[in-house]
Amino acid sequence: MSAVTLDRPAVTLADLTAFIWAEADLLDRLAYKDWLKLWSTDGLYIVPVERGVADHANAVNVLYDDAEMREMRVKRLLSGFSMSSAPPARTVRTVSRFVETARNETSVDLRAAQVIVEYKYERHRLLAADVDYRIELSAEGLKLARKVVTLINCDDPLHGIGYLL
Amino acid sequence: MHSEDAVAERPWGALFEGDRADGAIYRDPALFDAEMDRIFKNTWVWVAHDSELPGPNTFKTGHVGTSPVLITRDKKGQVHVLLNRCRHRAASVCEKKKGKQSVFVCPYHGWSYDPDGSLRKVPHRWGYDENFDPADYPLFSLRVEQYAGMIFATFNADAPPLEEHLGAARKWMDLFMKQGGGFGVKVLGQHSFRFPGNWKIQLENTTDAYHFPIVHKTFLDSLDEETENVFDVLGQGGWVEDLGNGHSVMVMIPSLIDLEADLEAPIPDRFADLAAELAAEGHDDLTVRRLVRAVGGTGFNLNLFPNVACSMAFFRVLRPVDVATTEITHVAIGMDGGESVGPANRARIRLHEHFQGPMGFGTPDDAEGWERVQRGVRAGEGMPILVNRGVSAPEGTAEPGHEAGDVSSEVGMRAAYRMWKRMMDE
């Protein structure tokens, strides 16, 4: 009998979007420690500075985080000693326009639209992005194996961002 | 009490005296316009690194002060800095950030220009009379000179030669470029971001070690113990030195001034894997040591007035947008040695991302601090900005005759503001 309890073929777009919405909710609530648990150990979280880059490892990115960097980043954001994140801008985000782009035995790739409104110092800012997800179908349930957030203006001047995208 | 209007009538240079500045230097729009005219149209402004124009007919776009420019390399290899403005009715002739092309065609009426700025062709030439000569209408061309791969431009035909303007800073530019590890320095990519504050707040910051342990506590906390010791910037006997013409150097890690010295020293544990990877690429032991020593950059920030700094391992470029908006570009650099130095360049990129950029462990906190200056300076008209910090530099560090102070001193800010005052009074 297999240890895997998840019925893989039956994972629906509704299951996947529920997972992504739960992630978005954790991020808006700054529940970063719980957010870390959504990731597979070798997952990569990437925010590029150019569109259409395939080889992120050899490019300068806004961030290129493996598990160790994610943990250090979360520690920093929650430490209370980072002036841009104590407190950070408030955020309200939505993720939608989901398209499944690939599926195999172990994972599903999705493309989606994300809109974040941030607010600090009496100023709203709008951050629109295309997001590419790879969601792993593991024994423990769904895990983030890859998340690439390509901001609509990633190749133009951004601003200091004291929270997670 | 004085109003901003009254300030506008004063000689601008009087806003800085000795070791303090009037808060109006950050907030007066009329002063900003005067600065764009007297400083950014008058002196050498950094526009590119040589490696950003990697061959004939390559280009990038940028700004000199508030003027959009096109920086090109023509087919003979000569670099040109041209106003990005068609001579006909002013449309921009290029909106790409970089690329390769042998002609720039204005999209509005089709006037076409060579990379050296000459007007090549005008459509429907018959509509102009016989006295119309395209040779009279090249793109406006700025003076261009370069040193150590750094390309500067100026609107001022009478500005002193670039090397004279750089003066004592040249020695430090040469030292900075040693991080090419013997292969030369190459631009690997960049971050850019804006903050709601005046450009001089950023100019000050690259020569401000005082803020480092406070603002960047969370960066320091994220380092292993060995690296954290390297970044103890106030505790290693560093200094700040006025290099003349507004330039200054802030030495934070004296043991990393000359990257070609001490190559026989043991390779730090944190670079052991990198050293093994580089050896596997076929580099000999000395080259591996040189590359590893260069991977984290130099131990100093060189501030070049008014818009660029050679900051440890990257170029920091500032662009004044308006009195309370400044754009910063952090240009990541690496070694120009192709795939064989790939492991070193990837390590450099990851180190760059760790601190720099809109979501780095350092930059967002800097940006927040600078915004807080701009917010705070709305209060307290007539109250000075203090740049009076500093005790003597450690014995035997700075060159004789240069004003210098300890690493946390504000000597570099005073150097920049003295040049600012000189140019604003001219």
Side-chain angles (χ1 to χ4, degrees):
Chain A
M1 195 175 122
S2 166
V4 177
T5 54
L6 194 73
D7 187 2
R8 284 172 179 155
V11 171
T12 63
L13 190 61
D15 297 330
L16 296 162
T17 56
F19 176 74
I20 289 168
W21 283 333
E23 188 219 358
D25 181 59
L26 291 176
L27 292 177
D28 274 343
R29 289 193 292 109
L30 309 181
Y32 293 153
K33 286 183 179 165
D34 292 334
W35 176 77
L36 286 174
K37 295 176 199 154
L38 298 183
W39 286 86
S40 67
T41 347
D42 54 357
L44 280 175
Y45 173 37
I46 302 170
V47 178
V49 290
E50 284 188 63
R51 301 183 75 81
V53 173
D55 182 7
H56 295 111
N58 280 300
V60 171
N61 302 283
V62 173
L63 58 81
Y64 182 90
D65 283 6
D66 57 13
E68 189 188 356
M69 275 298 280
R70 281 194 300 275
E71 271 177 42
M72 292 200 301
R73 188 178 296 282
V74 163
K75 184 181 162 209
R76 172 182 129 72
L77 294 176
L78 297 178
S79 69
F81 293 109
S82 152
M83 109 170 89
S84 59
S85 52
R90 296 174 196 149
T91 60
V92 172
R93 72 189 71 200
T94 58
V95 191
S96 187
R97 195 253 267 145
F98 296 97
V99 178
E100 185 176 317
T101 53
R103 181 185 284 249
N104 63 29
E105 289 269 293
T106 57
S107 69
V108 180
D109 290 358
L110 291 175
R111 183 169 76 221
Q114 173 171 277
V115 177
I116 299 177
V117 179
E118 69 150 68
Y119 181 78
K120 190 171 186 177
Y121 296 144
E122 300 168 20
R123 174 185 57 220
H124 293 79
R125 278 171 169 149
L126 194 62
L127 285 81
D130 290 300
V131 189
D132 291 288
Y133 300 90
R134 172 159 298 163
I135 297 171
E136 221 165 67
L137 316 175
S138 82
E140 297 88 47
L142 303 181
K143 291 280 178 190
L144 271 174
R146 190 175 170 86
K147 179 180 176 186
V148 181
V149 182
T150 305
L151 290 164
I152 198 169
N153 58 337
C154 66
D155 49 356
D156 270 330
L158 303 171
H159 61 277
I161 298 169
Y163 52 88
L164 296 178
L165 298 177
Chain B
M1 294 286 283
H2 54 255
S3 68
E4 297 282 12
D5 282 345
V7 171
E9 287 157 17
R10 286 187 2 218
W12 297 116
L15 293 173
F16 178 77
E17 294 292 352
D19 57 11
R20 54 200 62 203
D22 191 304
I25 62 160
Y26 298 146
R27 64 172 183 242
D28 187 339
L31 172 60
F32 179 85
D33 292 343
E35 288 172 336
M36 293 307 103
D37 194 44
R38 294 183 195 184
I39 296 172
F40 284 85
K41 287 218 166 139
N42 229 347
T43 192
W44 291 104
V45 173
W46 185 91
V47 289
H49 182 261
D50 191 59
S51 67
E52 293 181 277
L53 304 169
N57 296 330
T58 53
F59 71 93
K60 68 172 258 196
T61 48
H63 290 81
V64 174
T66 52
S67 302
V69 295
L70 193 54
I71 303 128
T72 65
R73 191 186 295 282
D74 68 22
K75 61 181 182 221
K76 292 179 204 146
Q78 174 125 14
V79 176
H80 304 270
V81 177
L82 310 160
L83 285 189
N84 191 358
R85 178 195 197 278
C86 181
R87 289 298 303 274
H88 174 216
R89 295 245 293 281
S92 60
V93 298
C94 179
E95 288 293 346
K96 292 179 191 156
K97 292 183 193 317
K98 60 184 177 185
K100 183 169 183 179
Q101 57 193 58
S102 56
V103 62
F104 295 91
V105 182
C106 176
Y108 199 2
H109 301 91
W111 287 32
S112 57
Y113 298 90
D114 288 323
D116 68 3
S118 354
L119 177 56
R120 186 190 286 189
K121 202 159 177 283
V122 171
H124 308 296
R125 169 72 179 76
W126 54 264
Y128 291 100
D129 70 26
E130 68 277 7
N131 296 322
F132 179 89
D133 182 357
D136 294 337
Y137 299 97
L139 294 176
F140 182 95
S141 185
L142 282 74
R143 225 177 119 192
V144 186
E145 290 180 21
Q146 53 180 302
Y147 183 79
M150 304 282 269
I151 303 169
F152 295 76
T154 181
F155 284 97
N156 181 2
D158 300 322
L162 175 67
E163 293 202 14
E164 188 182 320
H165 168 71
L166 295 170
R170 280 176 299 166
K171 174 184 108 178
W172 293 96
M173 293 170 78
D174 295 338
L175 285 167
F176 188 80
M177 299 308 166
K178 287 189 181 187
Q179 65 191 288
F183 292 93
V185 161
K186 182 189 177 172
V187 169
L188 300 176
Q190 65 183 40
H191 290 128
S192 79
F193 62 98
R194 291 183 177 191
F195 74 95
N198 187 266
W199 65 279
K200 296 184 294 300
I201 298 169
Q202 161 70 127
L203 182 69
E204 295 163 8
N205 183 259
T206 319
T207 177
D208 184 336
Y210 189 21
H211 83 291
F212 200 92
I214 298 157
V215 171
H216 301 309
K217 176 175 163 48
T218 61
F219 168 71
L220 294 168
D221 287 348
S222 73
L223 304 174
D224 62 85
E225 198 179 333
E226 192 178 41
T227 314
E228 195 175 348
N229 290 337
V230 172
F231 277 95
D232 173 19
V233 299
L234 299 189
Q236 297 179 59
W239 74 96
V240 187
E241 181 176 341
D242 180 350
L243 301 174
N245 291 337
H247 317 314
S248 64
V249 66
M250 174 176 73
V251 178
M252 293 163 285
I253 311 168
S255 62
L256 291 176
I257 291 174
D258 185 349
L259 295 174
E260 277 167 16
D262 297 328
L263 290 177
E264 65 288 349
I267 288 175
D269 287 350
R270 66 185 187 281
F271 291 130
D273 290 349
L274 175 62
E277 272 188 87
L278 289 166
E281 290 285 346
H283 295 293
D284 60 39
D285 184 58
L286 183 65
T287 307
V288 168
R289 286 169 176 281
R290 189 179 283 124
L291 292 172
V292 167
R293 187 162 150 80
V295 85
T298 63
F300 60 86
N301 284 2
L302 174 67
N303 231 17
L304 298 174
F305 187 88
N307 80 319
V308 69
C310 296
S311 180
M312 297 187 83
F314 68 102
F315 303 135
R316 185 275 294 147
V317 185
L318 71 81
R319 175 192 156 208
V321 177
D322 59 42
V323 68
T325 311
T326 304
E327 187 173 306
I328 311 293
T329 303
H330 289 160
V331 182
I333 53 176
M335 298 137 180
D336 197 2
E339 199 32 57
S340 78
V341 295
N345 281 339
R346 277 191 291 278
R348 289 186 65 100
I349 289 172
R350 297 290 91 81
L351 290 168
H352 186 83
E353 290 163 347
H354 189 155
F355 189 93
Q356 313 300 337
M359 295 181 82
F361 283 28
T363 297
D365 294 333
D366 275 327
E368 180 91 5
W370 307 331
E371 177 168 10
R372 295 282 285 269
V373 172
Q374 194 75 23
R375 289 172 68 79
V377 81
R378 295 179 295 188
E381 245 175 300
M383 284 170 68
I385 305 293
L386 299 178
V387 288
N388 59 343
R389 185 182 163 86
V391 295
S392 299
E395 196 74 25
T397 49
E399 260 180 66
H402 288 180
E403 189 197 344
D406 74 287
V407 65
S408 79
S409 72
E410 288 160 346
V411 162
M413 296 171 216
R414 297 200 288 277
Y417 278 120
R418 274 198 296 274
M419 182 65 171
W420 178 89
K421 183 179 174 71
R422 194 169 106 198
M423 299 199 79
M424 296 307 291
D425 275 343
E426 265 166 14

